[in-house]
Every structure is written in structure tokens, then in C-alpha cells.
């Protein structure tokens, strides 16, 4: 190799790196191992980890421990799907296009919107893309984002709009939901959009009808970030007048996976379809009249001239979107509603049980879905350490994101949690 690149030595390759920045001695590595020994070593290291296979999980905050039917992994592990990427010769991949089309159809139905794109990276990027889309539609440069939107999503939003001259103004929350008085005072003819989460980051259910009326009266667009499981029983945002609906699709049949890969849901009204990021798959007929699928709209800069593109999103989460499609197909509307109702009732049983224990009270009385906030009479870190001793993964310490909520814990209860799990949690609380 040295001869081919015209270098006399390894040192010559790295001579541009200052001497003081180089690693001056040999790496302290063990001797090489055979395959069997490597497998045994890796297995031993893996056993040091703790996972949701051996912990009872009451942590949510954007990544949820829902049950995944076996059919999901069975389908997505097929070789013709595992290698999917952006289809550069899309019409040659009719099976992949059909799965994306079915995904779009289901997301549109679930959210109550007219159009869904072929997915984005995650909810954070979907929020950022939605805000830029609202700016492109309205020409306005002010975004109002509720503090009830996931703090990570709001951070991604700030990163997205850097350099565009877009101003972000945050709306305070009251009782776990967007404060309508604060929203009213900050709305103006300069607002491009209002962004809320449904349910909010705290698990409370927003009054979308009131928010939509205030938003549209100011000529702004309403962007709603959803928990798709909640839409199994809650009225979809589209029926409240939402203009763009985004969300995290991980709950629909995708493992938590150490934080990814996840799936960005993105749906909107048909009138705004030309402003959507990514791509859309459509259904048509071929020259012989047979049903077929095609990439109907491709607005990303890899497909069209950069100045005409709506986004530089370079791919979609095709395999993850397939998993959610299989999940929704397996459950159907009745199954999804049953999952949502189980989450709802079990969460309320847990909330009542925890509130009955000395030293713990519910922060608010507002309606909630599967997450709720508990005030603790001791540091949340101390509570979680005690729970972990009982193999229980406790809730999120909200003080890390909201200083005013120090001493509060965000607890999540999904359909996987049994009455025994919840009772164990309450008993283990210090």
C-alpha cells in the first residue's frame, strides 16, 4: 500500500498530525482469540447489561415498551425487505412500493389527514421539517412551540431553523397542557405555526379544538406531534383541524433499541402536499391496466434540482416503516383501540395506587393517557436507585429538562405492565 500511494513509511502518512497529538505508544490490547472464545467473551459482556428483558419498565418519555407481535419480526427479517433503501429505480421494486403505500394509507387514516409521506428519521426531525414547511407555506418566520412538546424535539427544531431567520417562541404549560392564555398573547400575524404534542410530553391530553381555533384565527398552521397508540382511542388531530401531523412511530411495533432507529410520522392536508419533505408513493395502473405503484412525488434534493427541493432529508426509514405497517395490519383498528384502552386504564390504576402512598402525589388533575407526573418527597434519582434494586426501571426525572419540576417523576404504563408489576412498583417506592 505504501508503494502504491507513494509514501516511504507509515510515519510519513501521519506527518501532518502534530507530534503532541499522536498516540505515542502501543495499544494495550489482549492477544487475539479464536471464534469460540470471542463469542464467549461477547456473551459475558452482554450479560453485564440490563435490558427490558429483565427489568420491569415504567420509563417512557418518547420511547415505549409495547408488546410486539411475532409476525412483525417474521416479516421484516425477510431478505428482500432487509436490504431496502431509497428506491432509485423504484418501479422495479413493486413489493417495497406497495408496503410504503399501505403504510401511508394507514398513517393517513390514523391521524385523520389526507396525505402521509413515506416516513422520516424520527419525531424530532419530523417536527423540524414541519416547522420549515409551515414557513414555506406562509412566508412567516415565527414559530410558537408549546413547552409541552418533547424537549428533545424542541432542541432538534432549534437546530433545524438555525440560519433561516426563524424565531422560536415557547408557550408555557399549565396543569400539564398548553396555556391558552399565553398562546393567545403570543399569537400574531407573524406566526407561521403553533406546535403542540398530543398527549403532551407530560401525558396530559391537550384541548386541540381550542388550540386549532386560536391558531387558525391568527392565520397560522397547527402542527400536532402525536403518540400513535393514543390515537387508537382519542379523536385524531385531523378532525380538530390540524394542518400537519407528525409523531414518533416507534410505539407501533419497533423495539426501543437503545434509542433507535426510530420512525418519523408525517401527514398533512392535500393542499400542502407539494411542500412535504421526502417522497410519496402512489397507486396507478400500468400499460396493461394492472394495479401498480410508483413514486408519485419526490421533493428531496437528491431527486430534483436543489433550489426546487423542500428538504435535504436523504432517505426514509423504510424497514422501520414496514414494521409499523405489519404491526397495524396485525392489530387492526379494534386491536389498536384495545391496546390504547389497556394503557389508559392501567396507567390510571397505577396513578391512583401511587397517590395513595405517603410521600407521593399527582402533580395535576388534568386528563392523561398513559403517562403522568408524580411529585416525590425525596430526589427522583434516589427513588429510581431504590426501584432498580428491585429490577424496576423507574420514571423520568423531569428536573433534568424542566428545572421548575425538580422532584417530579414522569411515569409511563403500557399494556405490557400487569397488575402485579404495578403493585410491585408501589410496594418498592421508598
Amino acid at each position: 500500500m505504501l508503494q502504491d500511494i507513494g509514501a516511504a513509511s507509515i510515519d510519513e502518512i501521519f506527518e501532518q498530525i502534530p507530534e503532541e497529538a499522536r498516540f505515542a505508544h502501543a495499544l494495550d490490547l489482549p492477544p487475539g482469540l479464536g471464534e469460540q472464545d470471542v463469542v464467549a467473551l461477547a456473551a459475558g459482556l452482554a450479560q453485564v447489561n440490563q435490558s427490558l428483558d429483565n427489568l420491569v419498565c415504567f420509563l417512557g418519555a418518547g420511547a415505549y415498551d409495547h408488546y410486539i407481535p411475532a409476525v412483525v419480526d417474521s416479516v421484516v427479517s425477510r431478505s428482500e425487505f432487509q436490504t431496502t433503501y431509497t428506491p432509485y429505480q423504484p418501479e422495479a421494486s413493486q413489493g417495497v412500493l406497495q408496503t410504503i403505500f399501505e403504510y401511508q394509507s394507514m398513517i393517513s387514516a390514523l391521524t385523520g389527514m389526507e396525505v402521509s409521506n413515506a416516513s422520516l428519521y424520527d419525531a424530532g426531525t419530523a417536527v423540524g421539517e414541519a416547522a420549515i414547511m409551515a414557513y414555506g407555506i406562509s412566508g412567516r418566520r415565527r414559530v410558537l412551540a408549546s413547552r409541552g412538546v418533547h424537549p428533545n424535539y424542541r432542541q432538534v427544531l432549534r437546530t433545524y431553523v438555525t440560519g433561516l431567520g426563524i424565531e422560536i417562541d415557547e408557550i408555557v404549560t399549565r396543569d400539564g397542557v398548553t396555556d391558552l392564555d399565553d398562546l393567545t398573547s403570543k399569537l400574531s400575524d407573524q406566526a407561521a405555526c403553533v406546535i403542540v404534542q398530543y398527549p403532551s410530553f407530560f401525558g396530559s391530553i391537550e384541548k386541540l379544538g381550542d388550540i386549532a381555533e386560536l391558531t387558525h384565527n391568527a392565520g397560522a398552521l397547527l402542527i400536532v406531534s402525536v403518540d400513535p397508540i393514543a390515537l387508537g382511542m382519542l379523536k385524531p388531530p385531523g378532525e380538530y383541524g390540524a394542518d400537519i401531523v407528525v409523531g414518533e412511530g416507534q410505539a407501533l411495533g419497533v423495539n426501543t433499541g437503545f434509542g433507535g432507529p426510530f420512525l418519523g410520522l408525517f401527514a398533512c392536508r392535500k393542499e400542502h402536499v407539494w411542500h412535504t419533505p421526502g417522497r410519496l408513493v402512489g397507486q396507478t395502473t400500468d400499460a396493461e391496466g394492472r394495479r401498480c405503484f410508483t413514486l408519485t412525488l419526490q421533493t428531496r434534493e437528491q431527486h430534483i434540482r436543489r433550489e426546487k427541493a423542500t428538504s435535504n432529508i436523504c432517505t426514509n426509514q423504510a424497514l422501520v416503516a414496514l414494521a409499523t405497517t405489519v404491526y397495524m395490519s396485525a392489530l387492526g383498528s379494534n386491536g389498536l383501540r384495545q391496546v390504547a384502552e389497556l394503557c389508559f386504564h392501567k396507567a390510571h390504576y397505577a396513578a391512583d395506587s401511587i397517590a395513595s402512598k405517603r410521600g407521593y402525589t399527582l402533580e395535576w388533575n388534568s386528563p392523561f393517557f398513559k403517562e403522568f407526573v408524580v411529585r416525590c418527597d425525596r430526589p427522583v434519582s434516589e427513588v429510581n436507585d431504590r426501584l432498580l434494586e428491585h429490577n424496576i426501571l423507574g420514571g423520568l426525572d423531569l428536573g433534568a429538562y424542566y428545572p421548575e419540576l425538580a422532584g417530579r417523576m414522569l411515569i409511563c404504563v403500557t399494556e405490557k405492565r400487569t397488575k402485579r408489576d404495578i403493585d410491585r412498583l408501589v410496594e418498592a417506592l421508598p
Side-chain angles (χ1 to χ4, degrees), residues 40-89:
L41 175 63
L45 292 174
Q47 290 176 359
V48 177
N49 293 328
Q50 290 183 302
S51 72
L52 300 189
D53 291 332
N54 50 37
L55 294 176
V56 178
C57 179
F58 290 94
L59 179 63
Y64 300 105
D65 182 29
H66 289 285
Y67 179 75
I68 302 174
V71 67
V72 175
D73 286 339
S74 177
V75 173
V76 301
S77 62
R78 291 176 62 94
S79 59
E80 63 266 39
F81 291 128
Q82 283 199 322
T83 56
T84 59
Y85 181 62
T86 294
Y88 287 104
Q89 293 180 304

Side-chain angles (χ1 to χ4, degrees), residues 168-394:
I168 298 176
D169 199 347
E170 294 192 341
I171 310 301
V172 302
T173 59
R174 180 187 299 172
D175 297 332
V177 295
T178 303
D179 187 327
L180 297 184
D181 291 335
D182 192 43
L183 173 60
T184 301
S185 68
K186 292 177 179 176
L187 272 169
S188 70
D189 59 4
Q190 298 302 309
C193 61
V194 172
I195 308 175
V196 297
Q197 190 162 315
Y198 179 69
S200 74
F201 179 67
F202 309 112
S204 301
I205 300 173
E206 292 277 9
K207 296 179 180 179
L208 286 189
D210 295 339
I211 295 173
E213 182 178 0
L214 292 170
T215 300
H216 292 149
N217 286 343
L221 300 180
L222 176 59
I223 299 171
V224 182
S225 177
V226 299
D227 174 353
I229 295 294
L231 299 185
M233 63 177 288
L234 299 181
K235 187 175 177 179
E239 294 186 21
Y240 285 109
D243 299 287
I244 305 172
V245 177
V246 297
E248 178 52 64
Q250 176 272 327
L252 300 172
V254 181
N255 284 306
T256 50
F258 297 97
F262 282 178
L263 173 72
L265 311 179
F266 196 104
C268 67
R269 299 200 174 280
K270 189 175 181 180
E271 63 191 272
H272 303 313
V273 66
W274 289 103
H275 295 272
T276 56
R279 80 231 67 209
L280 278 78
V281 173
Q283 176 180 281
T284 185
T285 55
D286 64 13
E288 299 179 6
R290 297 174 300 184
R291 181 191 189 209
C292 64
F293 301 90
T294 181
L295 271 185
T296 302
L297 186 65
Q298 305 173 65
T299 57
R300 68 184 196 141
E301 64 181 33
Q302 282 189 350
H303 285 294
I304 61 177
R305 293 195 304 273
R306 185 172 187 178
E307 64 272 16
K308 296 290 185 180
T310 61
S311 169
N312 67 350
I313 280 282
C314 292
T315 188
N316 68 328
Q317 301 289 64
L319 188 64
V320 188
L322 173 63
T324 68
T325 305
V326 177
Y327 177 88
M328 290 186 286
S329 300
L331 266 66
S333 58
N334 290 336
L336 190 62
R337 180 177 181 85
Q338 184 178 7
V339 170
E341 289 178 345
L342 286 170
C343 292
F344 177 85
H345 291 297
K346 290 183 177 186
H348 282 73
Y349 171 76
D352 292 341
S353 300
I354 293 171
S356 67
K357 182 154 185 170
R358 184 177 179 181
Y360 299 89
T361 56
L362 297 183
E363 183 70 10
W364 305 298
N365 293 319
S366 54
F368 63 90
F369 175 53
K370 68 182 181 188
E371 291 177 280
F372 54 93
V373 177
V374 172
R375 182 184 299 186
C376 312
D377 66 354
R378 62 185 69 198
V380 174
S381 58
E382 180 183 328
V383 175
N384 279 333
D385 287 344
R386 181 71 66 84
L387 292 176
L388 201 56
E389 294 174 3
H390 296 268
N391 292 324
I392 297 173
L393 188 60

